[in-house]
Amino acid sequence: MLRTEPRIEDPDGFYQAVMDAHRGLDEAAARRFDARLALILANHIGDAAVLRQAVALAAATGEAPAAPLPSAPA
Amino acid sequence: MGFQPPRYPWHPPVAAREAAQVVIAGGGLVGLTLALDLARQGIASVLLDEDDTVSTGSRAICWAKRTLEIYGRLGLGARFLEKGVTWNRGRVFHGEREAYAFDLLPEQGHEYPAFVNLQQYYAEAWLAEECAASGLVDLRWRHRVAAVEHRPDGALLRVETPGGEYQLEAEWLLACDGARSPIREGMGLPFLGQVFRDRFLIADVRMHAPFPAERWFWFDPPFHPGQSVLLHKQPDDIWRIDFQLGWEADPEAERDPARVRARVAAMLGPKVSFELEWVSVYSFRCRRIERFRHGRTIFLGDAAHQVSPFGARGGNGGVQDADNLAWKLAAVLRGATPALLDSYDRERVPAAEENILNSTRSTDFITPKTAACHAWRDAVLELSAAHGFARPLVNSGRLSRPAVLADSPLSTPDAEAWGGGLPPGAPAVDAPMLRAGQPDWLLRHLGREPVLLAFAGPGVPAAEAPAGLRRVVVAADERVGTLWDHSGLAAARWGARPGDAVLLRPDQHVAARFHAPSPAAIAAARARMMGEA
């Protein structure tokens, strides 16, 4: 089950680390960095159901076309 | 010595109207495989082909282990092994570096390797030769199906030849007439799926080159920046090279031999001399018709489903169609219920879906649709060089695996607990055997009829087969007249202990498995396997 309560230790520090990593990257390199980061985190999670819920939550938030919030698999 | 395409003799019609029990439309790989399989079971067929030779050009080259096992049963396995290029290893390159290498068949103890590369025309020529030698296949070259009238009891064909036309009444019409199937189009069956907005240059090149017999795949190589390239070895010093060109490429200009030579020269470097054997420009589609059986007209191979080539799933999938249908049709012609043929749809439609899914995913990886998709693809490749966890995400083609017929109506679900092994629907897996002291292979003994594979061991006898069912005993100890599983690999791969038994279909897929079964339980599973449940 995807956990959505606040869990990141030192949120400002994490956010700053990502911004620092982006500094100096052009658009294409920045996209690849973000994708690498997502892949590394996805591998750490591993669990297919959690990853599916994470993708669905990301798709349902922000500018993506509206989609129902993910629910736990039966 | 390269391949010399045969020219088969053709004959004018013998009568204005003829009748045949089984008519196969299309003498390509799948039609010929089906005709030979039926002939091996004693079933005669008429095979119609509009041409008088084998396929030319860049067609199937990678024959998967399961296909080789099928051809082994049809008597052609040794020729594939002898002529073909055996390979197990693949390498993936990204930019100037090798990202990683993989081994497709890390385990020993199979008669056939993971893959053999061979030009499709060799396979077709051998099949045609064996069909003719069988005496049961009426090969009619330059006989083109011009029109079909579908009837409840068969089909009436109008066949055109250079020597005039005739009518042919078919009790069963097996449409193996390719991706542009005129029979499918004549029936107006929607052939739906996805077109990929990309083009590929496929070149078969003759050269003496020091590259090993491996599948090499480049993403964004220095000699072809921004695109992918595939290199694969075939017999007769011929190499298949696939250049991704992008959707904007002009197919006519790209076919220009001078332009192709420049691309190949950039790849191989100045020291390798080569000749172009065949050049074509493709765009790929993944699609299928909804159902493959329409009464007494049944579709197989590309006529029924089409995939992109990166998984070697077109030819191998078509051969499995023929393998699946041939025993069922033979059984129906001998009195089994025609409902048995419905299972062809229930089994091969999901298999085609699986091939289309894998082929679509590979093509999506190779041809990213947006800048963001491209970034994800490159991120996977960047990570894969240093980090093993990213390698399973690299998709340069998920190479053909035999279908597990998981939802087959012919299977009897496990009634008991099994720790592993081969569940109902799975294809049989080979293992080395000793028979009277001589090395042998398990699959050679399964044949083309229902079989009870019974496991025995010290103090534990093999299960009895019901009347009329052939039994093959595999023993954990040496016995007179049985196969000795001396390495224990059969027991391990099948998850079987002495006393267990597996009911196998004529296509060597598992129908049911049992611990210490009664003949009555096996007989019930056999009835279900023959469509009687």
Side-chain angles (χ1 to χ4, degrees), chain B residues 213-488:
Chain B
E214 298 176 342
R215 180 186 196 262
W216 287 9
F217 198 103
W218 287 265
F219 290 98
D220 192 19
F223 57 84
H224 193 53
Q227 307 283 9
S228 67
V229 179
L230 172 68
L231 174 71
H232 228 170
K233 187 178 189 176
Q234 305 171 64
D236 304 336
D237 293 315
I238 296 180
W239 300 74
R240 167 74 49 89
I241 309 178
D242 240 343
F243 292 95
Q244 186 182 24
L245 297 174
W247 183 241
E248 304 307 325
D250 173 352
E252 279 308 312
E254 292 296 344
R255 261 190 287 267
D256 175 12
R259 186 148 173 170
V260 177
R261 268 193 209 97
R263 291 202 187 282
V264 176
M267 172 179 179
L268 300 175
K271 287 181 190 151
V272 178
S273 63
F274 62 88
E275 297 160 50
L276 300 179
E277 280 277 312
W278 195 271
V279 171
S280 35
V281 175
Y282 286 87
S283 57
F284 296 136
R285 295 161 180 275
C286 290
R287 53 184 176 172
R288 68 171 174 90
I289 48 177
E290 189 185 357
R291 286 180 300 117
F292 300 165
R293 181 185 177 200
H294 293 262
R296 286 176 167 242
T297 299
I298 304 176
F299 291 87
L300 299 90
D302 284 358
H305 45 71
Q306 205 182 353
V307 293
S308 77
F310 290 105
R313 288 167 182 271
N316 289 301
V319 171
Q320 287 177 58
D321 287 347
D323 184 52
N324 189 287
L325 182 64
W327 72 267
K328 295 174 182 173
L329 184 60
V332 168
L333 295 178
R334 295 208 165 99
T337 168
L340 180 59
L341 291 169
D342 291 334
S343 69
Y344 172 73
D345 256 354
R346 295 273 302 274
E347 294 176 350
R348 292 310 299 169
V349 168
E353 274 296 287
E354 186 179 315
N355 285 332
I356 288 172
L357 176 69
N358 278 288
S359 164
T360 300
R361 287 172 167 179
S362 300
T363 311
D364 281 341
F365 193 86
I366 293 163
T367 304
K369 290 186 175 55
T370 66
C373 297
H374 214 285
W376 270 79
R377 202 279 301 280
D378 288 350
V380 167
L381 291 167
E382 286 164 359
L383 288 169
S384 71
H387 303 286
F389 82 79
R391 289 173 197 164
L393 294 163
V394 176
N395 192 341
S396 70
R398 298 281 182 238
L399 294 165
S400 173
R401 317 249 324 136
V404 174
L405 311 171
D407 297 317
S408 171
L410 308 183
S411 292
T412 298
D414 286 340
E416 303 137 322
W418 286 77
L422 304 179
V429 173
D430 209 358
M433 295 284 133
L434 282 175
R435 183 158 151 268
Q438 297 299 310
D440 207 336
W441 295 102
L442 175 60
L443 292 192
R444 291 185 178 188
H445 293 269
L446 300 183
R448 196 37 154 166
E449 56 188 341
V451 154
L452 187 73
L453 181 63
F455 290 84
V460 184
E464 292 295 330
L469 180 64
R470 190 165 72 89
R471 186 179 74 161
V472 172
V473 176
V474 168
D477 47 352
E478 191 170 14
R479 299 164 181 216
V480 176
T482 62
L483 297 170
W484 179 21
D485 182 20
H486 60 291
S487 64

Side-chain angles (χ1 to χ4, degrees), chain B residues 89-102 216 384-385:
Chain B
R89 207 170 163 74
R91 292 181 192 277
V92 175
F93 302 88
H94 181 214
E96 297 187 8
R97 296 171 310 155
E98 177 174 329
Y100 72 103
F102 56 90
W216 287 9
S384 71

